[in-house]
Amino acid sequence: MNWFFVLLSLMVFPGGLFLLAGGMAYEWVDRKMLAVFQNRAGPRWFQPLADTVKLLIKEEIIPDKVNEILFIGLPIAALAGGLTAALYVPVAGLTPVYSFPGDLIVTLYLLSLLTLCMGLAGANTLDRFSLIGATRTLTQVFSYEAPFLLAMLGPALVAGSWQISDINAYAGGHWLILTQPVGFIVAVIGFMGKLVMPPFDAPEAHTEIGAGALTEYSGRGLAFFHLAKAVELIVGLSLVSAFYLGGLANPLEFLVKTLALLFVLIGLQSLLTRMRIDQTVGMWWRYGTLVVLAQWLVIILVMRP
Amino acid sequence: MKSHQNFGQQLLKSLKDWARVSSPWVLHFNTGSCNGCDIEILATLTPRYDLERLGVKLQASPRQADILLCTGPVTRQARERLVRIYAQMPEPKYVVAIGSCAISGGVFRGCYNVMDGIDQVIPVSAYIPGCPPRPEAVIDGLVKVLASIHSPGHKIPSDILEGALDPEKVAA
Ligand code: SF4
């Protein structure tokens, strides 16, 4: 019966279906609260589900002169990356399904798979908007990824382990947001860059470059990219709140902490305006990386026996 | 046995219809209007009327749109682009003609440089009269298009499209 539980944990809970449903629910909270902050009524509760179903049953146009295998495969790879990353993260406050020393690094790389796939998907098509979108997407990856990685490694440094479940357990007794505020801020802002939320939405700026890297995607591919983003939202939120907001020990804590973090993100989204791509890069490399490195130095000096 | 199959198909069809009706993404294209209608469309999308509560999202790429909102009489220059945008949209797709000009050419009817209405070029699912129509009228028209999704009979007259895509006929 062992394989049965393996399959269950991969397909239904906490992987697969649960993640997709949770991701859509969080996406709805995001859109609804943003609408409330802008004095609007906002979408109905089933909106992300309806969008996904509609995209899945829509015609998928494969444009001329693209590599068809890449065009169809990249969205699947992006979704698979997000779903796999969730297996190492305490989603819903439960212990991760799989865990091994150093899974933090693997998870962070799996989380950036989505952005890489989007960049490649844009570069794969001939459309000029998607080419510009791809360039911006990949530029943005190289700007926020390093500071985000460094910010996530700060808790690992004090916990003395690179295993997510260990860090989660350590963070349960220590609110690292108090001892490493700089790392928390950089992690949150890096996470916004990861999800291409405003003010870091230059890669898919609708008013300038169509739909960015995904301009040529119509049916299923677009649905998979949207789902991957929703899954990444929930995985990233649980990762950041597990590390910095005192750990995730049970489902209630998960709900309260991730939603609180999401509200902060929504507030920032509705407050800030879009940054140009060179401003994004400049901000991360001039300030973000440096302050995180300074914090690392402090941690190492303080922790020295 | 057969009734089971029918039931399954019915269920699938109602799921598809529900998804299509609940999530219409629109694309806005100005085919030569005086901008009056365009401003009304933008007013419809503002927080005051908030179309997102009906699931409407303004898309920038024709590949991701379900409904094409057209304004203005089709000028001969815009015609080819209108047809190309229509061809770029994935099925199922709907076209809404907004404003008197889009319906019949309006004040520009009979001018040497216009085609006298969207339906001379591509098939139209709904007409919203007015010069320009109020946002309430635009929302009403959109709701009527959504209601028509439930009913069958939405077809593309392929001869219109083929003729329109032919560059020689476009030039003529
Ligand atoms: S219907 Fe009226 S407002 Fe609209 S494009 Fe024509 S003239 Fe302008």
Side-chain angles (χ1 to χ4, degrees):
Chain A
M1 285 310 274
N2 199 10
W3 56 268
F4 176 74
F5 287 108
V6 170
L7 213 60
L8 198 73
S9 71
L10 283 182
M11 306 297 286
V12 184
F13 186 86
L17 285 179
F18 168 75
L19 267 182
L20 295 182
M24 284 196 250
Y26 273 65
E27 190 197 331
W28 175 75
V29 173
D30 181 27
R31 281 171 66 177
K32 178 78 180 174
M33 289 311 294
L34 200 60
V36 170
F37 283 162
Q38 294 171 346
N39 268 342
R40 294 188 284 133
R44 294 163 291 183
W45 65 271
F46 51 75
Q47 198 58 56
L49 181 65
D51 288 349
T52 311
V53 174
K54 183 209 69 179
L55 286 175
L56 285 175
I57 58 179
K58 221 169 151 57
E59 180 192 4
E60 188 175 35
I61 298 176
I62 299 182
D64 273 355
K65 306 227 172 68
V66 300
N67 184 331
E68 281 183 31
I69 299 175
L70 277 183
F71 190 84
I72 296 173
L74 283 172
I76 301 175
L79 183 55
L83 289 174
T84 317
L87 297 177
Y88 301 106
V89 174
V91 171
L94 308 170
T95 46
V97 189
Y98 295 98
S99 189
F100 60 88
D103 55 5
L104 175 60
I105 301 293
V106 175
T107 309
L108 290 176
Y109 274 103
L110 282 173
L111 282 181
S112 45
L113 201 61
L114 165 66
T115 333
L116 284 180
C117 283
M118 271 166 74
L120 275 181
N124 187 23
T125 48
L126 285 181
D127 184 62
R128 71 200 93 158
F129 292 133
S130 49
L131 282 180
I132 299 176
T135 323
R136 289 191 186 178
T137 308
L138 293 178
T139 315
Q140 187 150 312
V141 178
F142 288 116
S143 56
Y144 71 73
E145 199 67 39
F148 183 69
L149 204 73
L150 293 175
M152 294 315 272
L153 291 185
L157 217 58
V158 291
S161 162
W162 292 41
Q163 193 167 351
I164 293 178
S165 47
D166 285 357
I167 304 171
N168 187 21
Y170 174 84
H174 311 70
W175 280 63
L176 291 178
I177 182 176
L178 298 177
T179 51
Q180 305 185 10
V182 177
F184 174 71
I185 293 170
V186 171
V188 166
I189 299 179
F191 181 54
M192 292 178 81
K194 224 175 182 29
L195 284 178
V196 207
M197 287 175 172
F200 304 111
D201 57 347
E204 53 183 42
H206 278 210
T207 38
E208 303 166 21
I209 51 168
L214 302 184
T215 302
E216 288 283 2
Y217 275 86
S218 50
R220 197 172 16 154
L222 191 63
F224 282 177
F225 274 123
H226 276 215
L227 281 178
K229 216 169 182 179
V231 168
E232 191 155 321
L233 175 68
I234 199 166
V235 174
L237 279 177
S238 30
L239 202 59
V240 175
S241 45
F243 280 19
Y244 282 102
L245 297 181
L248 301 175
N250 53 49
L252 186 67
E253 238 177 84
F254 167 79
L255 213 59
V256 172
K257 286 177 181 170
T258 48
L259 281 181
L261 193 59
L262 186 59
F263 282 150
V264 175
L265 292 188
I266 297 167
L268 287 176
Q269 277 185 66
S270 55
L271 272 178
L272 302 171
T273 55
R274 186 185 304 143
M275 290 169 84
R276 280 197 324 262
I277 191 72
D278 59 313
Q279 289 173 328
T280 313
V281 176
M283 189 187 89
W284 283 117
W285 284 108
R286 286 202 204 106
Y287 310 111
T289 317
L290 288 185
V291 290
V292 179
L293 281 178
Q295 188 191 266
W296 266 50
L297 203 64
V298 173
I299 295 174
I300 293 172
L301 287 179
V302 169
M303 279 191 25
R304 204 174 48 173
Chain B
M1 191 63 200
K2 194 142 185 247
S3 70
H4 277 290
Q5 267 180 2
N6 278 345
F7 181 70
Q9 279 174 355
Q10 283 277 314
L11 204 68
L12 208 61
K13 186 177 176 309
S14 50
L15 178 72
K16 285 180 177 178
D17 281 350
W18 167 77
R20 277 178 192 145
V21 170
S22 310
S23 148
W25 290 359
V26 300
L27 178 74
H28 168 204
F29 183 50
N30 176 341
T31 55
S33 100
C34 74
N35 266 343
C37 289
D38 301 290
I39 289 169
E40 291 305 312
I41 290 180
L42 296 187
T44 318
L45 293 166
T46 50
R48 186 179 174 89
Y49 295 99
D50 186 30
L51 277 184
E52 200 182 6
R53 70 202 149 94
L54 301 176
V56 175
K57 245 167 93 181
L58 185 68
Q59 291 295 323
S61 158
R63 291 265 193 249
Q64 297 164 9
D66 306 291
I67 299 183
L68 180 61
L69 304 178
C70 291
T71 55
V74 187
T75 57
R76 285 185 195 275
Q77 267 196 336
R79 179 193 171 184
E80 197 191 340
R81 270 150 224 166
L82 174 63
V83 171
R84 204 191 305 157
I85 286 180
Y86 185 71
Q88 278 171 344
M89 287 168 62
E91 285 283 340
K93 52 191 168 189
Y94 307 89
V95 179
V96 179
I98 293 179
S100 314
C101 294
I103 294 174
S104 64
V107 288
F108 303 107
R109 187 177 179 86
C111 282
Y112 67 97
N113 59 344
V114 300
M115 305 289 305
D116 293 348
I118 308 283
D119 56 4
Q120 308 291 315
V121 186
I122 54 175
V124 175
S125 308
Y127 301 87
I128 302 174
C131 179
R134 286 184 63 84
E136 289 91 338
V138 176
I139 296 174
D140 184 52
L142 274 180
V143 169
K144 286 197 172 127
V145 178
L146 297 181
S148 83
I149 291 179
H150 283 300
S151 61
H154 168 74
K155 289 196 192 72
I156 321 169
S158 53
D159 45 324
I160 298 183
L161 255 187
E162 270 168 27
L165 279 175
D166 187 351
E168 280 181 12
K169 282 191 193 164
V170 171

